[in-house]
Each structure stands twice: as structure tokens, then as C-alpha cells.
Amino acid sequence: TKAQAQAQIAQAHASAAAAKAEAEAMQAQAEAEQAMAIATAEEEAARRMQEEARAVQIAERERQAEAAQRELRARTMSELETAEPRRVLEILKLPLADAEVHKTGWSAIWRQSDAGPGKQTAYGRAFASAGGLEALGVALREYQASVRVVESVLHSTWVLARDDANSAAIGAGGGIEAVVAAMRSHGGSAAVQEQGCRALFNLSFNDANVVAIRKSGGTKVLQEARARFSDSSDIVQFAEKALKRL
């Protein structure tokens, strides 16, 4: 009938309108989700940019800190060459005083203390008075793994032990045991063995030191140095001279 047809048409229009409304709602939801996704992506991009900027800032600060540390080390190494004994000892106790700083410091110490065969400068006497003799043993123990530090400290020991009072103080402070231990640890180093033989020779002019050298195994390390480096006239000479005093 006509009424039924009209009802069907109305129902079709209503269904179409409902479908259209649903489609529009779905489109709106999709657009909202897309907008949210874009916003989220933009926020993520902004976050990454901020993180990258912070990473660049951190890297720059680290670079500046490293540059400042290198400059400080360079100034410190340079200062060690001419500083007064007390200042040298202060530097060797600083956190930045690694093996390289100690090598430079102890090399400067023996050079400025050496006044020629059997002699010692005023610098050497001032170094001893400032507590440097105790530092000898400490350095040998703390940096025993470093051949370069050990060689320089033993060289300083040889020079400083030319003074009788210094020799006695080094022995009393455990320096002899430290010297022998260092020579034992670096038996293959000619430089260490030579300076160790020289140091033990000068230290052997003190009777108490002779006893300490014997007890610590000094006789054996001297004999081993002489045998291993029989082609080195300096090692053989000072090892034999020290052994004769023992």
C-alpha cells in the first residue's frame, strides 16, 4: 500500500541518516586519533631533541673538564721540575698524582738533590727535612707495579742515602724492605736493578741497615742482579760493592 511504501522510504532515510551519522562519528574519531598520534609524535620528537641537546651539553662539559684536567696536569708536571721540596711532596699527595706525575716528581727530586759523586745539594737536605724520606718507602709500595716510578724512586734513594742521617732514617722507616721488594718485583729491568744496587750500596754504610738488608733478602737480590746482568758494568760493580759490605 501507499502507506507501507512511505513507511519503508522513511525507514530507509532514517537508516541512511543513521549510517551517515555513524560514518561521521567514526571519521571524527579517526581524525581525533590521528591528531592525538601527531601530537604524541611531536611530543616524542621534542623529547628526543631535548635529550640530544642535553647529551651535547654533557659531552661539552666533559670535554671542557678533560681539557682543564690536562692543563692542570701539564702545569703540575712543569711545577714539579722547579718546586721547593715541601711543595713537591704536597703535589705527590694530590688526587691527580698518578704514576706519570710520580715519575716526573721523583726524577726532579734526584736531579735537584745530586751534587756529584758522594755529594748532596741543599735541596736534598731540605727534602729529607720536609718528610721526603718517609715518602720514598710509600711510593715504592704504592707504585711497585710501575717500572718508571720505581726506577726514579730508587735513584732518589741512592742520592739521598749519601747522607748518613738520611741513610739511617730510610732504614728505620722500612725503606730497605721496600727497595728489596721493588728489585724482586722487577728482576728483569736493568734500570731498576742498577738503581736498586746503587741504593743498597749507599744504605749499607749503616750497621743497622746492613742487618735489615740481610734480613729482607737483599743479599739474594744483589746476587741475582749481578748474575742476570753480568754484561752491565754498573750493575756488577755496585752489586759487588754492596755485597762486600754485607
Side-chain angles (χ1 to χ4, degrees):
T1 64
K2 185 177 180 178
Q4 289 177 332
Q6 290 176 340
Q8 290 175 349
I9 291 172
Q11 185 176 2
H13 279 294
S15 297
K20 181 180 180 181
E22 184 179 358
E24 290 175 347
M26 291 176 65
Q27 178 65 25
Q29 182 178 358
E31 291 176 353
E33 290 176 351
Q34 183 180 16
M36 183 178 296
I38 292 173
T40 301
E42 290 176 346
E43 289 176 359
E44 179 64 20
R47 184 185 64 79
R48 285 199 301 269
M49 289 180 63
Q50 290 176 344
E51 290 179 351
E52 290 173 359
R54 282 197 296 269
V56 170
Q57 292 175 345
I58 292 171
E60 177 60 19
R61 285 197 294 269
E62 290 177 347
R63 186 194 67 76
Q64 293 175 351
E66 290 174 358
Q69 186 74 358
R70 286 194 299 271
E71 182 180 353
L72 177 59
R73 278 177 56 82
R75 289 202 308 268
T76 300
M77 302 277 267
S78 177
E79 184 182 0
L80 283 169
E81 298 292 344
T82 56
E84 293 296 318
R86 195 171 298 279
R87 175 56 181 160
V88 171
L89 289 170
E90 290 175 354
I91 292 174
L92 294 180
K93 293 177 182 178
L94 293 175
L96 60 76
D98 57 10
E100 189 61 27
V101 172
H102 271 267
K103 166 65 173 68
T104 301
W106 287 103
S107 294
I109 290 164
W110 72 253
R111 281 197 299 271
Q112 295 189 75
S113 300
D114 194 344
K119 299 179 182 179
Q120 188 176 141
T121 64
Y123 178 99
R125 292 187 289 273
F127 180 78
S129 298
L133 303 181
E134 292 83 352
L136 287 168
V138 173
L140 284 175
R141 286 185 287 270
E142 291 186 354
Y143 292 93
Q144 191 174 105
S146 172
V147 173
R148 300 179 70 204
V149 174
V150 168
E151 178 193 352
S152 294
V153 178
L154 290 177
H155 198 146
S156 297
T157 305
W158 171 51
V159 173
L160 293 168
R162 292 170 182 170
D163 179 88
D164 292 341
N166 288 353
S167 178
I170 291 171
I176 289 172
E177 290 79 5
V179 169
V180 172
M183 292 179 68
R184 190 178 292 120
S185 294
H186 299 286
S189 169
V192 168
Q193 296 305 306
E194 178 181 341
Q195 298 307 325
C197 289
R198 288 174 182 268
L200 290 178
F201 170 64
N202 277 359
L203 289 165
S204 68
F205 283 84
N206 178 282
D207 291 341
N209 286 352
V210 168
V211 174
I213 292 172
R214 290 171 178 163
K215 285 185 176 181
S216 62
T219 301
K220 183 178 180 180
V221 296
L222 287 166
Q223 292 170 338
E224 291 175 346
R226 180 181 60 183
R228 176 172 290 183
F229 298 99
S230 58
D231 58 341
S232 170
S233 58
D234 286 334
I235 293 177
V236 171
Q237 175 190 359
F238 279 95
E240 288 183 346
K241 288 166 70 173
L243 287 167
K244 285 179 182 179
R245 296 200 58 81
L246 298 179

